[in-house]
């Protein structure tokens, strides 16, 4: 972009989605998946799920975040300003989740059923919830990008994180995990429909925030991002899993190939949703003139 | 208390890019990094088209979104209202860059990028790296030439009135469209201009209270 073209038109944000910004997208996706899996594993008391969720947050979310930083060796400085910055708060949530999660997993492994295990389950669970949620607040703070400037974003990210966690837990059951698949499917079905409704409300409300919000929604619904939105988010992320889930419900039994298709398509949906939201983030024109 | 600010009279701006060039030259800014920009647009339809020029730079907002967003405290607001970046503390997360609704920050990624690709850094570029050691992997932006302000004040000069203590873009502007001074002083030239010529801030709806005002009519 030439200097004189800067901000005359609607300008999509590129920093967190293009080039190395892809790492930021991956960090956000894996943060949701890891924290969601940990929460779901807590509910189903699945230790392997907790371990996997914990590892995803450390290795993938943490790893991609660090790789994105311009000065990764200074990462500890991100602890210093939690009073105003959601990025700093999120970093603290993640560190606390790693510490509490490690203690809880140690208890679950060596001293299961103790009070200590229960206490650290609660603490790590709260931190997992905050890890899944805070990226929504990080984005929601940015009032220049009206699509992101919505209070629904943190809620949407938590819901999708839990959904992804459920998908991974169901996947484990296919390969012999000790999980009540029908119960997980029932929760997943309800959450999928809730998420679909929330996405619709989120996009609808974004059009009322301002012209840049409307522009972002137009790009998502019938602009250059429509294939990602309709195929990735709606078809793969919502419709296919719901249809397969209903089929499982009606048949009263699970089908391993169908479950695998549902899980893969739900994962595609998880990646597509955050990609679409990050990519559609648009600043309004800086000056009140048309394009040169 | 002092709060440094700038007024840009759009009726005087001729779009010569002197502000952009002088800023780039004075700070030895690397390729593709601009702390001052000139936005050019048009309104109306042929044959009644009006060309509009908006010189833009960091607004040094009183309620700066970047300051609140910065997780390390590298971006901070000084007592005189200048929003500055400590490159030694910046972690390069680019949250400030995203949070600035005016898009006036740039990520400095490559310290070896040359003005003449393949020919190595020129002597001037090497001197620039010595004098203004920007750190690759951090975010950069206009600093209202705070080094000139600080050095000028130490010599007893008045920023805005004495050239040596005034931002270079203000000095370089041929039609004198830019005025620099203390917003908190009701008798300063800048305060008088804002009051009598109805100076306006960009996008007040963001609630950032910019220190750069524009005289539009």
């Amino acid at each position: 972009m030439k200097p004189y073209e800067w901000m005359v038109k609607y300008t999509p944000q590129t920093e967190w989605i293009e080039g190395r910004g892809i790492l930021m997208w991956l960090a956000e996706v894996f943060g949701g998946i890891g924290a969601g899996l940990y929460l779901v594993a807590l509910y189903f008391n699945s230790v392997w799920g907790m371990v996997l969720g914990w590892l995803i947050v450390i290795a993938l979310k943490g790893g991609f975040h660090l790789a994105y930083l311009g000065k990764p060796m200074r990462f500890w400085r991100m602890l210093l300003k939690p009073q105003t910055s959601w990025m700093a708060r999120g970093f603290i949530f993640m560190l606390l989740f790693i510490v509490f999660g490690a203690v809880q997993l140690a208890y679950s492994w060596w001293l299961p059923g103790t009070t200590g295990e229960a206490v650290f389950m609660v603490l790590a669970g709260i931190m997992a919830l905050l890890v899944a949620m805070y990226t929504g607040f990080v984005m929601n703070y940015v009032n220049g990008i009206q699509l992101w400037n919505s209070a629904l974003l943190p809620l949407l990210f938590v819901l999708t994180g839990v959904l992804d966690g459920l998908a991974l837990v169901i996947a484990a059951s296919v390969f012999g995990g000790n999980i009540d698949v029908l119960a997980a499917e029932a929760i997943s079905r309800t959450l999928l429909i809730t998420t679909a409704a929330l996405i619709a409300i989120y996009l609808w409300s974004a059009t009322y925030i301002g012209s840049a919000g409307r522009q972002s929604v137009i790009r998502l619904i019938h602009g250059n991002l429509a294939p990602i939105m309709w195929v990735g988010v709606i078809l793969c992320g919502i419709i296919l899993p719901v249809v397969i889930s209903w089929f499982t419900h009606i048949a009263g039994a699970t089908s391993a190939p169908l479950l695998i298709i549902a899980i893969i398509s739900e994962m595609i949906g998880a990646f597509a949703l955050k990609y679409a939201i990050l990519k559609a983030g648009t600043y309004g024109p800086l000056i009140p003139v048309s394009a040169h | 208390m002092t709060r440094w600010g700038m007024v840009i009279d759009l009726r005087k701006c001729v779009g010569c890019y002197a502000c952009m060039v002088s800023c780039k030259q004075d700070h030895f800014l690397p390729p593709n990094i601009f702390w001052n920009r000139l936005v050019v647009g048009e309104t109306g339809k042929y044959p009644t088209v009006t060309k509009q020029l908006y010189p833009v730079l960091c607004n040094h907002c009183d309620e700066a979104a970047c300051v609140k967003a910065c997780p390390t405290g590298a971006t901070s607001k000084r007592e005189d209202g200048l929003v500055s970046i400590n490159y030694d503390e910046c972690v390069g997360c680019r949250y400030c860059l995203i949070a600035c609704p005016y898009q006036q920050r740039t990520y400095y990624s490559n310290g070896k990028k040359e003005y003449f690709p393949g020919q190595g850094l020129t002597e001037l570029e090497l001197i620039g790296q010595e004098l203004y050691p920007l750190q690759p992997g951090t975010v950069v932006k206009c600093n209202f030439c705070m080094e000139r302000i600080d050095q000028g004040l130490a010599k007893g000069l008045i920023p805005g009135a004495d050239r040596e203590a005034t931002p270079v873009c203000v000095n370089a502007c041929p039609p004198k469209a830019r005025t620099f001074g203390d917003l908190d002083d009701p008798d300063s030239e800048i305060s008088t201009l804002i009051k009598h010529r109805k100076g306006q801030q960009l996008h007040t709806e963001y609630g950032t209270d910019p220190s750069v005002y524009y005289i539009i009519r």
Side-chain angles (χ1 to χ4, degrees):
Chain A
M1 184 174 280
K2 292 172 187 167
Y4 57 80
E5 290 174 342
W6 191 256
M7 298 292 284
V8 176
K9 305 174 201 170
Y10 291 99
T11 312
Q13 78 83 21
T14 54
E15 212 59 53
W16 280 0
I17 197 64
E18 287 181 11
R20 286 180 69 82
I22 289 289
L23 298 173
M24 196 67 186
W25 163 59
L26 292 173
E28 290 204 4
V29 175
F30 284 115
I33 291 174
L37 175 59
Y38 186 88
L39 286 170
V40 173
L42 271 185
Y43 180 79
F44 286 103
N45 201 23
S46 159
V47 176
W48 75 262
M50 294 177 212
V51 172
L52 189 61
W54 186 76
L55 285 175
I56 288 174
V57 170
I58 293 181
L60 296 175
K61 179 184 169 54
F64 283 126
H65 258 312
L66 274 182
Y68 176 72
L69 295 179
K71 296 281 185 191
M73 296 307 286
R74 298 178 185 170
F75 75 94
W76 56 273
R77 287 190 174 276
M78 294 177 77
L79 293 164
L80 301 178
K81 243 185 76 186
Q83 61 273 32
T84 62
S85 172
W86 271 106
M87 189 73 91
R89 287 170 199 162
F91 188 59
I92 291 168
F93 296 152
M94 200 171 84
L95 281 185
L96 288 176
F97 170 69
I98 291 168
V99 173
F100 292 154
V103 176
Q104 178 264 310
L105 289 170
Y107 265 112
S108 297
W109 191 258
W110 286 295
L111 298 166
T114 56
T115 314
E117 185 196 21
V119 168
F120 280 97
M121 269 183 172
V122 172
L123 290 174
I126 292 169
M127 288 306 140
L129 183 71
L130 292 172
V131 167
M133 189 183 273
Y134 89 88
T135 46
F137 284 113
V138 165
M139 291 166 71
N140 156 269
Y141 171 75
V142 182
N143 61 5
I145 300 176
Q146 291 170 341
L147 179 72
W148 297 358
N149 194 215
S150 164
L152 294 175
L153 212 50
L155 184 60
L156 183 63
F157 284 177
V158 170
L159 263 182
T160 51
V162 171
L163 264 174
D164 302 335
L166 275 167
L168 286 177
V169 159
I170 294 167
S173 73
V174 175
F175 300 104
N178 186 24
I179 301 290
D180 181 354
V181 180
L182 289 176
E185 278 282 290
I187 299 170
S188 181
R189 206 162 39 242
T190 312
L191 287 183
L192 278 166
I193 292 163
T194 311
T195 304
L198 194 61
I199 290 172
I201 295 168
Y202 166 64
L203 293 180
W204 176 73
S205 63
T207 62
Y208 287 93
I209 299 174
S211 64
R214 213 161 26 250
Q215 190 68 23
S216 295
V217 175
I218 289 169
R219 286 179 68 205
L220 285 169
I221 302 298
H222 50 82
N224 59 336
L225 296 172
I228 293 166
M229 189 67 196
W230 291 110
V231 179
V233 180
I234 305 298
L235 181 66
C236 293
I238 308 280
I239 295 176
L240 263 177
V242 167
V243 169
I244 292 172
S245 182
W246 272 107
F247 180 80
T248 309
H249 176 64
I250 291 164
T254 55
S255 153
L258 277 181
L259 278 181
I260 289 167
I261 292 171
I263 290 151
I264 291 171
S265 81
E266 221 172 304
M267 284 296 129
I268 293 170
F271 281 86
L273 178 71
K274 285 198 172 157
Y275 184 86
I277 291 175
L278 283 168
K279 189 84 177 169
T282 306
Y283 295 94
L286 190 60
I287 60 172
V289 293
S290 60
H292 178 58
Chain B
M1 200 64 114
T2 304
R3 183 182 164 200
W4 299 118
M6 192 181 286
V7 169
I8 302 175
D9 190 340
L10 297 182
R11 295 194 316 172
K12 288 184 179 174
C13 178
V14 293
C16 66
Y17 296 91
C19 47
M20 270 177 67
V21 174
S22 62
C23 173
K24 228 172 158 24
Q25 186 185 33
D26 200 66
H27 296 101
F28 295 89
L29 294 179
N32 294 331
I33 293 190
F34 297 90
W35 288 358
N36 256 289
R37 289 189 173 94
L38 184 70
V39 179
V40 183
E42 289 171 357
T43 49
K45 283 185 178 175
Y46 177 83
T48 52
V49 178
T50 307
K51 189 174 185 179
Q52 294 204 341
L53 304 165
Y54 269 80
V56 291
L57 67 164
C58 171
N59 285 292
H60 294 270
C61 306
D62 202 31
E63 294 291 330
C66 55
V67 173
K68 289 177 186 165
C70 178
T72 68
T75 293
S76 59
K77 191 159 77 80
R78 306 196 324 178
E79 279 193 354
D80 58 3
L82 298 192
V83 175
S84 67
I85 301 172
N86 182 341
Y87 301 125
D88 291 331
E89 291 180 4
C90 178
V91 73
C93 69
R94 287 159 263 185
Y95 190 24
C96 57
L97 197 151
I98 295 277
C100 173
Y102 307 102
Q103 288 275 275
Q104 293 305 321
R105 288 174 163 247
T106 315
Y107 180 65
Y108 176 42
S109 58
N110 184 359
K112 291 177 181 161
K113 201 166 185 181
E114 309 142 337
Y115 271 101
F116 304 99
Q119 296 182 35
L121 294 172
T122 61
E123 202 175 332
L124 195 70
E125 286 171 285
L126 290 169
I127 293 168
Q129 289 189 351
E130 288 283 316
L131 290 174
Y132 286 94
L134 301 177
Q135 292 184 25
T138 60
V139 172
V140 296
K141 70 161 191 78
C142 156
N143 62 1
F144 257 2
C145 293
M146 67 181 182
E147 64 285 344
R148 293 172 71 90
I149 293 172
D150 291 344
Q151 286 166 14
L153 286 170
K155 290 179 188 170
L157 303 175
I158 302 168
D162 297 304
R163 285 178 65 86
E164 206 182 320
T166 303
V168 283
C169 58
V170 178
N171 291 338
C173 182
K176 300 205 179 302
R178 293 181 181 227
T179 308
F180 189 78
D182 182 6
L183 290 168
D184 280 355
D185 176 3
D187 299 323
S188 66
E189 188 185 356
I190 185 173
S191 296
T192 312
L193 275 172
I194 292 166
K195 191 176 169 189
H196 294 300
R197 303 279 304 281
K198 296 188 173 58
Q200 295 176 21
Q201 298 158 309
L202 273 184
H203 291 287
T204 48
E205 71 272 17
Y206 296 133
T208 52
D209 192 7
S211 299
V212 175
Y213 286 73
Y214 293 87
I215 293 171
I216 295 165
R217 279 192 286 269

